[in-house]
């Protein structure tokens, strides 16, 4: 089976050849599109100015009623600038209706920045033109004194409320207005204030832009710090879980080894065991050996690059006296108290209890060196209680001990959560620190 490809040539004039645009054209078109988006698209959209936060270092000290009033400080400042511009208009212009209109042309655009910022800019340009038409000043053109104050205020407030690109477009539009009015209508004026307006407004907009950039940089740094802290906490949590998994591997492997040995030896303890029993014990041994193999594979997955297999069994509460002796040699005065009937607990519980005590004492050495500590162990019905408390540090120190290699409360909480226990940690009334833990034994034995 063959395929035949047919090509049809379109008639002449069906479509015009594509002509690539020059980079200059694309740059200009993109600039016009951005200007239209910033200054014309939804220019009179309703955007009320929010109230100021009152949680700053100064406002938080004010009484309740004053704090409510302080939240309206930006609105009061903008309104005050508009009133100043209106008073200047009434002082420099003649009386009657032109004086009233000039005052309104100065006040309304400034007040409009509180609700419609971009629209306030266009209203300010229109008010500037109206004031220039009604005014009688021959020394200031195209901005009369009242218009100068009002337009500069509008530019600054709108730049604060929008982004730097919008502020740049407003300055360009202001410069274009100044150029047109100076060229077309400024022939009868002795002095023009367009250069002063452009220079002063450029400085004001530059200061606002720097403020915007600094604020965005601070937000970005804060976001990065938050993300870094979150990742560090997550990494610490994973490291602690990996450490716990490596330690519990030895405990579980010991139990599985005992199961395999007992399953292999059980048929020899019974005279003439039935074949079904021998087969059952053989199956148990095979499953136990297979489980040990899988455990070794799991340990290989969670093993760190610098991990070294322990050359001794995992510690239990019976080894706690050795730990306390080592801590005392490091300079910590620690006492031990045991209540209840001492009994053998599951190895996972004893290992977790030992590590919790070890980490709590390490934290004492780090953060309160020289403070007395006390370890209380309570064998209660249904579980094991731990309480590790230390007093306040005798004196402040900048040197921290490196005793212990855990991650503090994170590792303790992970061990307690793994066993379904409860834990509380916090400062004591005398300035020390207390860690209280309850590990349910019945739950662990029931699920083992």
């Amino acid at each position: 089976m063959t395929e035949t490809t047919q090509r049809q040539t379109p008639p002449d004039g069906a479509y015009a050849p594509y002509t690539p645009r020059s980079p200059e054209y694309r740059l200009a078109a993109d600039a016009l599109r951005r200007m239209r988006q910033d200054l014309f698209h939804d220019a009179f959209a309703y955007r009320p100015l929010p109230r100021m936060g009152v949680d700053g270092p100064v406002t938080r000290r004010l009484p309740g009623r004053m704090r409510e009033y302080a939240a309206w400080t930006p609105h009061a400042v903008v309104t005050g600038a508009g009133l100043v511009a209106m008073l200047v208009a009434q002082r420099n212009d003649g009386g009657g209706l032109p004086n009233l209109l000039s005052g309104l042309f100065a006040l309304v655009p400034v007040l409009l920045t509180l609700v419609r910022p971009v629209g306030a800019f266009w209203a300010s340009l229109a008010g500037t033109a109206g004031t220039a038409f009604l005014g009688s000043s021959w020394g200031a053109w195209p901005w009369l004194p009242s218009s100068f104050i009002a337009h500069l205020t509008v530019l600054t407030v709108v730049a604060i409320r929008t982004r730097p690109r919008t502020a740049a477009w407003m300055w360009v539009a202001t410069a274009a207005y100044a150029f047109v009015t100076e060229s077309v209508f400024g022939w009868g004026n002795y002095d023009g204030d367009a250069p002063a307006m452009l220079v002063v407004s450029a400085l004001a907009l530059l200061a606002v832009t720097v403020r915007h950039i600094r604020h965005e940089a601070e937000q970005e740094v804060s976001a990065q710090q938050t993300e870094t802290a979150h990742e560090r906490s997550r990494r610490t949590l994973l490291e602690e879980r990996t450490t716990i998994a490596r330690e519990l591997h030895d405990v579980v492997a010991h139990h599985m080894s005992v199961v395999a040995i007992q399953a292999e030896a059980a048929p020899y303890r019974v005279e003439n065991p039935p074949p079904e029993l021998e087969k059952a014990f053989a199956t148990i041994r095979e499953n136990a050996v297979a489980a040990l193999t899988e455990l070794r594979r799991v340990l290989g997955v969670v093993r760190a690059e610098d991990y070294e297999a322990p050359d001794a069994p995992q510690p239990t509460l019976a080894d706690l006296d050795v730990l306390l002796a080592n801590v005392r040699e490091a300079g910590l005065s620690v006492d031990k108290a045991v209540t209840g009937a001492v009994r053998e607990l599951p190895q996972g519980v004893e290992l977790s209890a030992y590590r919790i005590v070890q980490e709590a004492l390490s934290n004492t050495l780090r953060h309160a060196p020289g403070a007395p500590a006390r370890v209380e162990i309570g064998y209660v019905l249904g579980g094991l209680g731990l309480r590790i408390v230390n007093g306040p540090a005798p004196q402040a120190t900048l040197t921290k001990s490196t005793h212990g290699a855990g991650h503090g409360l994170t590792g303790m909480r992970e061990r307690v959560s793994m066993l379904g226990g409860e834990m509380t940690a916090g400062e004591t009334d005398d300035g020390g620190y207390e860690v209280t833990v309850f590990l349910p034994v019945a739950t662990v034995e029931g699920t083992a």
Side-chain angles (χ1 to χ4, degrees):
M1 180 177 180
T2 59
E3 295 182 0
T4 303
T5 303
Q6 297 181 356
R7 299 178 181 269
Q8 296 182 356
T9 304
D12 296 339
Y15 57 86
Y18 172 73
T19 303
R21 302 293 185 179
S22 63
E24 293 80 5
Y25 177 85
R26 291 196 299 269
L27 183 62
D30 186 59
L32 291 176
R33 180 183 58 80
R34 292 180 179 179
M35 182 180 68
R36 182 171 64 253
Q37 179 182 359
D38 292 339
L39 296 184
F40 295 96
H41 183 67
D42 289 338
F44 287 87
Y46 182 69
R47 294 176 52 197
L49 178 65
R51 291 187 296 176
M52 182 183 69
V54 291
D55 54 350
V58 177
T59 54
R60 70 163 59 103
R61 300 179 181 178
L62 299 175
R65 181 69 64 176
M66 292 297 297
R67 291 184 64 183
E68 295 180 3
Y69 293 152
W72 297 98
T73 300
H75 304 75
V77 172
V78 173
T79 303
L83 293 176
V84 170
M86 185 180 66
L87 293 176
V88 172
Q90 293 179 353
R91 179 179 179 182
N92 288 275
D93 297 333
L97 183 60
N99 185 21
L100 177 61
L101 292 178
S102 298
L104 292 177
F105 287 156
L107 176 62
V108 172
V110 176
L111 297 182
L112 198 61
T113 59
L114 299 176
V115 289
R116 307 182 190 275
V118 179
F121 168 74
W122 295 114
S124 179
L125 285 183
T128 298
T131 304
F133 177 76
L134 298 174
S136 58
S137 175
W138 292 89
W141 182 267
W143 282 276
L144 272 66
S146 60
S147 300
F148 192 97
I149 297 175
H151 192 67
L152 186 61
T153 302
V154 169
L155 285 176
T156 305
V157 175
V158 176
I160 292 175
R161 299 200 57 197
T162 57
R163 51 185 174 181
R165 193 178 74 184
T166 304
W169 286 123
M170 289 191 303
W171 188 88
V172 171
T174 300
Y177 172 82
F179 176 77
V180 172
T181 53
E182 284 279 3
S183 302
V184 179
F185 304 103
W187 52 269
N189 297 278
Y190 297 105
D191 187 19
D193 55 2
M197 168 59 74
L198 296 180
V199 172
V200 175
S201 62
L203 293 177
L205 296 182
L206 179 61
V208 173
T209 301
V210 171
R211 175 180 175 273
H212 275 298
I213 295 175
R214 179 180 178 182
H215 181 65
E216 292 177 357
E218 290 177 350
Q219 287 184 334
E220 184 177 357
V221 170
S222 177
Q224 291 179 353
Q225 289 178 346
T226 302
E227 183 177 359
T228 301
H230 178 71
E231 290 296 328
R232 185 184 299 112
S233 176
R234 182 173 177 271
R235 185 173 61 250
T236 300
L237 184 62
L238 293 177
E239 291 177 356
E240 279 299 312
R241 290 179 177 177
T242 302
T243 301
I244 295 173
R246 289 199 301 261
E247 292 179 350
L248 290 181
H249 166 269
D250 298 335
V251 176
V252 177
H254 170 72
H255 286 298
M256 297 305 298
S257 299
V258 172
V259 171
I261 294 174
Q262 290 180 347
E264 184 177 6
Y268 299 100
R269 297 188 179 186
V270 180
E271 185 177 357
N272 298 323
E276 294 81 4
L277 183 61
E278 293 182 353
K279 183 177 180 181
F281 280 121
T283 303
I284 294 175
R285 182 182 181 281
E286 291 175 359
N287 291 334
V289 173
L292 280 173
T293 304
E294 295 299 328
L295 278 175
R296 294 190 185 95
R297 292 177 181 174
V298 172
L299 181 62
V301 172
V302 300
R303 182 186 291 117
E305 294 181 358
D306 55 350
Y307 173 74
E308 295 181 0
D311 54 0
Q314 294 292 348
T316 62
L317 291 177
D319 304 315
L320 197 58
D321 291 335
V322 179
L323 172 65
L324 298 182
N326 293 335
V327 172
R328 293 188 185 100
E329 292 179 359
L332 183 66
S333 175
V334 57
D335 296 329
K336 172 187 172 184
V338 180
T339 59
V342 180
R343 64 186 185 275
E344 184 178 356
L345 302 175
Q347 292 185 357
V349 175
E350 295 218 0
L351 172 61
S352 296
Y354 179 90
R355 294 302 188 194
I356 291 171
V357 174
Q358 182 184 36
E359 193 61 48
L361 295 178
S362 298
N363 288 342
T364 303
L365 285 172
R366 292 192 196 100
H367 306 292
R374 181 177 175 84
V375 177
E376 299 178 2
I377 303 175
Y379 291 86
V380 297
L381 182 63
L384 177 70
L386 299 174
R387 181 174 179 267
I388 305 95
V389 59
N390 63 268
Q395 58 182 359
T397 177
L398 297 179
T399 304
K400 294 184 178 181
S401 172
T402 58
H403 185 80
H407 294 102
L409 296 178
T410 301
M412 298 185 202
R413 295 190 188 279
E414 280 300 306
R415 295 181 184 275
V416 173
S417 176
M418 175 191 64
L419 297 174
E422 298 178 359
M423 171 180 168
T424 58
E427 295 185 359
T428 58
D429 295 336
D430 59 354
Y433 203 83
E434 178 182 357
V435 176
T436 305
V437 175
F438 175 75
L439 302 178
V441 174
T443 303
V444 176
E445 292 177 350
T447 58

